[in-house]
Each structure stands twice: as C-alpha cells, then as structure tokens.
C-alpha cells in the first residue's frame, strides 16, 4: 500500500495527524541530517502500525518533506490505523 506523508523533523514531540487537505502529517523528534529523520520516520510509522521496520520503505522524497512510502499492511490494518489517528 502506498502512503503519502508530509514529514516535519526536529519537532518537540512525535505526532501523527491529518490536515484539512487530508494529508497525513508526521512530526518527529529526529533532526533532518544524515538520514536520521528518514530512519526515525520508518521506525516511528512501523511502531504505530504494529509492524516490523522492514515492512516500511521510503519510495520517494528522501530529501523532501513530502514523502511517498510503501507499507506492507492489509487494507483492514490500515483502516484501523487511520481510525486511531482520527480519534486522537
């Protein structure tokens, strides 16, 4: 499944939320240097989805806040993940 996100590294807290346009925003604590933010983003999303890090991969946007990720989850797992974000 392809997931489009807007990442904001260097935040004070880790947070997932949808903006008014329906884009998934991810605030992460890791700094945007030497690939640390990308590695942390993969780890953070995997933890939130309850899957291993190897099931999350950045496909494009390595140096851009807007990223396209490929995640190996079922439709049902993703629907539960999305519902959890929207209810927080």
């Amino acid at each position: 499944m392809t997931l489009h996100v807007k990442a904001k590294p260097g935040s004070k807290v880790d947070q997932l939320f949808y903006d008014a346009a329906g884009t998934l925003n991810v605030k992460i604590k890791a700094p945007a240097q030497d690939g640390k933010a990308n590695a942390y983003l993969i780890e953070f999303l995997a933890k939130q989805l309850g899957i291993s890090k190897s099931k999350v991969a950045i496909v494009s946007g390595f140096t851009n806040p807007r990223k396209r990720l490929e995640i190996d989850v079922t439709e049902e797992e993703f629907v539960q993940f999305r519902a959890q974000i929207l209810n927080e």
Side-chain angles (χ1 to χ4, degrees), residues 3 11 15-16 19 26 28 30 33 43 49 57 61 72 79-80 84:
L3 183 64
S11 295
Q15 184 181 18
L16 287 168
D19 63 15
V26 184
I28 54 175
Q33 63 186 27
E43 184 178 329
L49 286 158
D72 187 12
V79 168
Q80 290 174 351
Q84 178 184 351

Side-chain angles (χ1 to χ4, degrees), residues 41-84:
L41 174 65
I42 289 170
E43 184 178 329
F44 178 65
L45 285 176
K47 184 177 179 182
Q48 296 301 309
L49 286 158
I51 58 177
S52 67
K53 292 187 291 185
S54 63
K55 292 186 174 188
V56 180
I58 298 174
V59 178
S60 67
F62 295 97
T63 59
N64 191 314
R66 297 193 183 275
K67 300 181 185 304
R68 190 174 79 215
L69 298 105
E70 191 63 38
I71 54 174
D72 187 12
V73 293
T74 64
E75 185 72 30
E76 182 180 314
E77 289 171 322
F78 184 73
V79 168
Q80 290 174 351
F81 169 70
R82 183 176 160 87
Q84 178 184 351

